[in-house]
Amino acid sequence: MGNSLKELGRLGQKRYGGFFYEEFLRELQGKKGMAVYQEMSENDDTIGAILFSIEMLIRQTSWDVQPGGTTPADEEARDFVLSCMDDMSDTWSDTISEILSFLTYGWSAHEIVYKRRCGKRSDPQLRSKYTDGLIGWQKLPIRSQDTLYEWLYDDNDNIRGIIQNPPPDFGFIEIPVEKLLLFKTKSRKGNPEGRSILRNAYRDWYFKRRIQEIEGIGIERDLAGFPVLTAPEGLDIWNAEDPEMVAIKNAAENIVQNIRRDSLEGLVAPNGWELKLLTSGGQRQFDTSAVIERYDSRMAMTCMADFILLGHQNVGSFALSSDKTKMFSMAIGSYLDIICEVFNNQAIPALIDINGDYFSGITDYPTLTHGDVEDANLEKLGDYISKMITCGALIPDESVEDFVREQAGMPERLVDWDEAEDTSASDGGTDQNGNQQNAGAAPSADEPPKGTAGTSRNTTGSEDDPDDGDDEEDTEDDEKDDLDKARAARKRLGRRGG
């Protein structure tokens, strides 16, 4: 077989000594890049609004776990994973919030910390809501991006772990990859650092920040005017050979450069010096507000979140807003898929396997799933379901009812009414007062004996009128037809029994 089973090539990563240099801008490499992305996310209003909207939409999304099969063991494994999600020292919502930092920095690493579930204990490695003795998640804490010292790789470009250099003691901590959950926005040449969703917005953010600074300085200068300080006649401050004149000139320049409109404004000048404030000659050639708005739009566009600017710039229609929010929701759905994939490929299989043979009978591992980001349009959904049922392409069974209830935010079905009705019918039903009746019970003294109920006798004591028997048969036929119609309606509604 020769080299058939042997890996021969390399990924071609620009990696030296555990550091990646795939980013061609030096200011976005390593810890410098992390500092830039942190400033972008925390100091820019448009980017902050984008990240906030993403986080809030994801935090309100519902999460569920699906069993790997239909056996009772599969259901038990599913319930166990759900219980672990609800039994961590950090809430599931906070854990998701920490994971979402991979959007800002491109990647996020979380260590898996286990515990033995031994009920109410003081030791956090034993404390749990449950007393089954199984091993669950204690927490999934982030290993902050700015504490990364280097990545560990083997000779075949397989990641082995990371080395951390965290405060406050700044010691070196090695964490193997088996203990890590690594989330990243995209994969390129196996780079674990992914790519920040803010990367394409960096250029626009850079120029916007500079223009805002220049705009602030310009406004401040226009308020104060253009300062001109004139030296007394006969004082040659331009004489570079005279140290005293050089010092006076430097002091004068320092005065005009620091004239501001604030609580400390004012000037004390010696006799003969004259200070003038020249006002600007008119409006500037460039509208900085329009330039900044253009950069805001482009930054939002890189994240498919430019819908947040609709209405602020007096442009955009409702239909356009609907299309843009739909694309934004699809992007968020892909981020949720990334989170689910990491849990389904690493966290959940490791959690099941660490409990040994307890879950050996499962068909497959449970899987984490997420709900929809947007609420369904109930009007369109109702119209669609109605048309599908009308044409016979959809049968409204219990699963369809459960789906409709879920989409509409209605409560779940608490009782299977069909089973309850079937049980009631087998027991003889109930009377008008709601009292249970037995089908074979003897009639009470107030009831006519069997065979006489509904039988009419003539006043002369002769035999029953044959016409009366026909009426009874017609009544029975009508009741049978009504029962058949009821059963047919129940069948159309996906109900059992009848």
Side-chain angles (χ1 to χ4, degrees):
M1 296 181 64
N3 294 326
S4 298
L5 301 179
K6 185 178 179 181
E7 184 177 359
L8 302 178
R10 301 291 297 271
L11 290 175
Q13 296 173 336
K14 295 180 181 179
R15 170 175 52 85
Y16 308 99
F19 302 94
F20 279 85
Y21 298 93
E22 295 289 345
E23 174 58 61
F24 66 89
L25 290 180
R26 290 184 177 272
E27 58 266 29
L28 296 181
Q29 293 177 354
K31 292 191 175 183
K32 289 183 179 179
M34 296 176 194
V36 171
Y37 290 133
Q38 182 179 9
E39 182 180 357
M40 292 176 66
S41 64
E42 297 182 359
N43 212 32
D44 186 90
D45 44 7
T46 302
I47 292 177
I50 295 170
L51 296 177
F52 179 78
S53 61
I54 293 175
E55 180 176 354
M56 290 301 103
L57 285 173
I58 290 181
R59 289 187 69 145
Q60 61 88 34
T61 302
S62 60
W63 300 85
D64 195 11
V65 177
Q66 298 298 322
T70 58
T71 66
D74 294 321
E75 292 291 339
E76 184 181 6
R78 172 216 181 240
D79 295 339
F80 171 69
V81 175
L82 277 174
S83 67
C84 290
M85 292 168 57
D86 191 42
D87 191 35
M88 295 189 292
S89 56
D90 298 326
T91 65
W92 178 253
S93 180
D94 288 342
T95 302
I96 293 297
S97 180
E98 291 279 17
I99 291 174
L100 291 179
S101 64
F102 82 98
L103 300 177
T104 301
Y105 299 100
W107 64 278
S108 176
H110 295 253
E111 183 178 353
I112 306 175
V113 182
Y114 296 104
K115 68 178 178 182
R116 177 79 65 176
R117 311 202 312 180
C118 297
K120 297 181 179 179
R121 299 291 185 89
S122 58
D123 187 350
Q125 291 188 332
L126 300 175
R127 187 187 307 124
S128 174
K129 299 177 182 178
Y130 307 93
T131 58
D132 50 21
L134 296 175
I135 298 177
W137 291 323
Q138 178 188 344
K139 55 183 177 178
L140 302 172
I142 188 173
R143 298 305 173 228
S144 181
Q145 290 87 349
D146 56 3
T147 65
L148 174 68
Y149 180 72
E150 67 174 333
W151 299 94
L152 299 177
Y153 274 80
D154 62 16
D155 295 335
N156 293 322
D157 296 329
N158 298 314
I159 184 171
R160 295 192 298 107
I162 64 172
I163 293 182
Q164 229 191 339
N165 182 219
D169 55 0
F170 294 95
F172 292 96
I173 304 172
E174 181 176 340
I175 306 176
V177 69
E178 294 80 13
K179 286 268 294 176
L180 288 175
L181 297 178
L182 182 60
F183 303 87
K184 54 184 179 180
T185 54
K186 64 177 297 183
S187 179
R188 169 64 178 160
K189 295 195 295 188
N191 186 355
E193 295 183 356
R195 190 172 189 267
S196 170
I197 66 171
L198 306 179
R199 175 60 183 87
N200 288 341
Y202 170 72
R203 181 179 175 86
D204 295 310
W205 169 81
Y206 177 82
F207 286 114
K208 173 191 171 183
R209 185 187 63 167
R210 294 295 301 148
I211 291 174
Q212 284 179 325
E213 293 174 354
I214 295 172
E215 182 184 50
I217 295 173
I219 292 174
E220 187 179 46
R221 286 297 189 180
D222 274 351
L223 289 175
F226 184 78
V228 177
L229 185 59
T230 305
E233 186 178 354
L235 189 64
D236 187 10
I237 61 174
W238 308 106
N239 187 359
E241 298 179 357
D242 188 345
E244 183 179 359
M245 293 297 104
V246 172
I248 293 175
K249 176 178 174 292
N250 292 335
E253 290 178 347
N254 187 55
I255 289 173
V256 296
Q257 290 173 1
N258 289 280
I259 292 179
R260 300 286 187 273
R261 296 306 307 266
D262 53 28
S263 60
L264 300 179
E265 64 179 336
L267 176 66
V268 177
N271 185 28
W273 288 83
E274 182 180 2
L275 176 64
K276 294 181 180 180
L277 296 177
L278 304 181
T279 59
S280 59
Q283 190 176 6
R284 292 292 185 262
Q285 184 177 359
F286 298 101
D287 184 1
T288 55
S289 296
V291 176
I292 291 174
E293 285 181 358
R294 186 185 74 209
Y295 286 133
D296 280 337
S297 298
R298 291 184 176 180
M299 287 191 298
M301 191 187 306
T302 61
C303 302
M304 290 189 291
D306 46 335
F307 69 92
I308 65 174
L309 301 175
L310 294 177
H312 293 277
Q313 300 176 358
N314 298 323
V315 295
S317 62
F318 177 80
L320 180 61
S321 174
S322 178
D323 292 340
K324 288 183 177 294
T325 53
K326 184 177 181 180
M327 294 181 62
F328 183 66
S329 299
M330 292 175 62
I332 293 181
S334 67
Y335 302 148
L336 292 171
D337 291 338
I338 292 173
I339 296 175
C340 289
E341 287 177 357
V342 174
F343 273 93
N344 294 334
N345 292 333
Q346 296 176 248
I348 293 179
L351 177 66
I352 297 298
D353 292 343
I354 201 173
N355 283 282
D357 295 334
Y358 189 87
F359 296 107
S360 59
I362 63 174
T363 305
D364 200 355
Y365 295 112
T367 55
L368 179 67
T369 60
H370 64 82
D372 293 331
V373 176
E374 281 189 311
D375 293 332
N377 188 320
L378 297 182
E379 183 178 356
K380 292 183 178 179
L381 178 63
D383 183 62
Y384 171 76
I385 293 178
S386 177
K387 291 180 179 178
M388 294 292 288
I389 294 175
T390 302
C391 69
L394 180 67
I395 299 177
D397 54 14
E398 281 87 349
S399 60
V400 173
E401 180 182 348
D402 292 339
F403 172 76
V404 172
R405 285 175 175 269
E406 179 183 358
Q407 294 299 312
M410 300 172 65
E412 297 180 357
R413 291 183 296 119
L414 300 179
V415 178
D416 192 333
W417 297 104
D418 304 317
E419 295 180 0
E421 290 178 0
D422 292 343
T423 303
S424 175
S426 64
D427 292 340
T430 59
D431 57 20
Q432 293 180 352
N433 296 324
N435 300 319
Q436 189 71 31
Q437 296 179 354
N438 293 327
S444 64
D446 297 332
E447 296 176 349
K450 287 186 177 180
T452 62
T455 302
S456 61
R457 297 182 181 273
N458 55 28
T459 56
T460 60
S462 61
E463 294 182 356
D464 296 340
D465 189 342
D467 293 336
D468 293 337
D470 294 337
D471 293 337
E472 289 180 11
E473 292 177 0
D474 293 338
T475 302
E476 291 176 359
D477 292 337
D478 293 338
E479 291 177 354
K480 185 176 184 301
D481 292 339
D482 293 340
L483 183 59
D484 291 338
K485 291 178 181 179
R487 287 175 175 172
R490 290 166 59 80
K491 186 175 181 180
R492 287 196 304 270
L493 293 174
R495 301 293 192 180
R496 298 189 301 272

